[in-house]
Amino acid sequence: MTSWVGRTAVEIAAAVRAKEVTPREVVAEHLARIERLDGRIGAFRTVRARAALAEADALAARGDLEGLSLAGVPVAVKDNLGVRGESTRVGSAATPDTPADADHVTVARLRAAGAVVVGLTNVPELCVFGTTEGVHGTARNPWDTTRTAGGSSGGSAAAVAAGLVPIALGNDGMGSLRIPAANCGLVTIKPGHGVVPAGIGNGDWFGMSENGPLATTVEDARLMLSVLADTDVAAAEPGALKIAVSVRSPLAGVTVSKPYTGAAREAAGVLVRAGHHVERAEPPYPLSLGVTSLAHWTAGTAVDAASLDARLLTRRTRVHAALGRRFLPGVRRGSARDVLRGRLEPFFAQYDVLLTPALARRSPKSAPWDERGWLRNVLVNTNYSPLTPPWNLTGWPAMAVPFGTLPSGAPTAVQLVSRPGREGELLRLAGQLEELRPWRRTAPLD
């Protein structure tokens, strides 16, 4: 008997279209794996077992099955995006347990392409922090369950890395796709602003939040992005690129550990051998970047928390939102982001792509971070993930790509960044890294 767990989305969809397997068989096998393993991982807030099987049967009866790019592919959805008939809790006790009456546009596009939603995944409260734990569950890294999966798309990343689904939907406001992808050995792309519909929370954190894929291969990430995007993501032209490599943290006082600097340097060597022009160069990050990042991070939370009962929010979220209210007027003006883009645009006129470590150090221990103080959470988050926020502030595309391992055997990763409209270029580079330095796609849980 052929096992469909561990197969890519591309492989599953091709087999379903060719009628080598039914959508029900694929979905049932993944549901059985979720039932067996998710107690250890904590990826899902809710699993739609009965509904998913019924939807798989309905899919099999469709007359256009041969034309569906994600035919029969099980997918997990981050619990801040609406799934028809399910509540959207956003990791909080303060949100209503009311079923959504419609799918979020990205969920609707996945379903229209033939994907089957098997469940909604755990997130930290209001998707604020880079660790995933709270009243609805704790998402652990399948490669090392003593560590957090990361956040805020931690449950989605854990689900893919554990082989519970081949792909998952998440989003990224200050690194919330790239952080858990880097922890869990996955490929993700935060598209540039306007490429994929957002509609996340109350205003997309001032346009910084973007929806995107979590996958185990570049091909799956490309396929999922093509389904989600408003327009065709242009394929990259072949040829050598000029790539800058920086292993320095954008934030003063934060250092990057050797496993991550080593990963970036080794990836640079691989890209040199692939024919690209690679050199060391430091982006001109302003000294004010830390304040700008904090202001936008907290202000986004202030907006999302405004309509909720503060008594039902955790203390760290209340403090985060209270600080953000002070920053709201300046953040709404957008001048700090304009300054940052103005400083970085000349750098990206000189270089096609920036290569950096994806993280500064391994993910924190899996712990009840939601019960700990605000400052402790902020310091932990900042010290392990200083490299992702600049690209939400600019609104430019950025990827996390697995590369290398930690001493524990868990994955490390690099980040690729480019100018608006260059998603195809980033995917091409990521594909070259995958071809020349292939990675193990899922954690060894069995």
Side-chain angles (χ1 to χ4, degrees), residues 14 87 98 104 132 180 196 222 243 245 259 275 307 342 357 374 377 385 398 419:
S87 59
T98 306
H104 186 275
T132 294
V196 172
R222 185 192 299 275
I243 301 172
V245 182
S307 62
W374 174 82
N377 273 274
S385 180
R419 299 188 293 274

Side-chain angles (χ1 to χ4, degrees), residues 4 12 15-29 56-57 59-60 65 71-74 116:
W4 296 98
I12 290 170
V16 170
R17 289 194 298 268
K19 297 196 164 55
E20 296 171 9
V21 65
T22 67
R24 171 177 272 267
E25 288 170 326
V26 173
V27 170
E29 193 175 341
D57 290 339
L59 175 70
L65 191 65
V73 175
V116 178

Side-chain angles (χ1 to χ4, degrees), residues 350-362:
Q350 184 177 359
Y351 296 100
D352 297 306
V353 173
L354 171 66
L355 166 65
T356 76
L359 298 172
R361 52 184 46 83
R362 64 179 178 172

Side-chain angles (χ1 to χ4, degrees), residues 42-332:
F44 286 93
R45 175 181 71 84
T46 187
V47 177
R48 310 176 65 250
R50 183 178 297 179
L53 289 171
E55 289 165 18
D57 290 339
L59 175 70
R62 284 178 58 167
D64 61 346
L65 191 65
E66 288 88 358
L68 302 181
S69 60
L70 291 175
V73 175
V75 63
V77 174
K78 185 176 179 178
D79 191 23
N80 66 342
L81 298 170
V83 172
R84 184 180 65 253
E86 306 291 342
S87 59
T88 308
R89 299 307 304 271
V90 203
S92 181
T95 51
D97 190 17
T98 306
D101 55 12
D103 287 332
H104 186 275
V105 61
T106 53
V107 176
R109 288 181 181 183
L110 292 173
R111 280 181 153 158
V116 178
V117 177
V118 297
L120 287 91
T121 57
N122 278 314
V123 299
E125 186 171 57
L126 305 191
C127 298
V128 173
F129 294 99
T131 59
T132 294
E133 63 290 301
V135 294
H136 300 296
T138 295
R140 300 174 183 272
N141 187 341
W143 293 89
D144 180 356
T145 55
T146 68
R147 302 258 161 199
T148 178
S152 63
S153 305
S156 285
V160 177
L164 309 182
V165 287
I167 54 174
L169 180 60
N171 38 57
D172 189 315
M174 292 292 270
S176 290
L177 281 165
R178 289 160 291 155
I179 295 167
N183 286 331
C184 296
L186 303 179
V187 181
T188 191
I189 182 165
K190 178 196 78 66
H193 184 63
V195 172
V196 172
I200 305 159
N202 297 315
D204 308 326
W205 277 16
F206 308 96
M208 296 192 304
S209 292
E210 307 291 347
N211 292 309
L214 288 153
T216 63
T217 68
V218 175
E219 187 179 30
D220 274 5
R222 185 192 299 275
L223 172 61
M224 190 170 171
L225 181 63
S226 72
V227 170
L228 296 173
D230 279 324
T231 57
D232 288 340
V233 177
E237 295 293 326
L241 298 174
K242 192 170 184 182
I243 301 172
V245 182
S246 170
V247 297
R248 178 175 65 86
S249 167
L251 300 182
V254 178
T255 59
V256 181
S257 65
K258 286 184 179 179
Y260 288 94
T261 59
R265 291 186 177 116
E266 286 186 39
V270 169
L271 293 175
V272 168
R273 293 190 290 277
H276 300 288
H277 305 297
V278 182
E279 64 185 52
R280 180 77 177 264
E282 299 298 342
Y285 300 115
L287 288 174
S288 59
L289 180 59
V291 173
T292 301
S293 298
L294 181 66
H296 286 75
W297 183 24
T298 57
T301 304
V303 172
D304 285 345
S307 62
L308 301 176
D309 185 343
R311 295 170 297 181
L312 298 177
L313 296 172
T314 62
R315 185 174 181 275
R316 67 174 181 175
T317 303
R318 291 198 305 271
V319 173
H320 207 74
L323 181 60
R325 286 193 290 272
R326 301 184 181 187
F327 286 122
L328 274 172
V331 167
R332 285 181 168 136

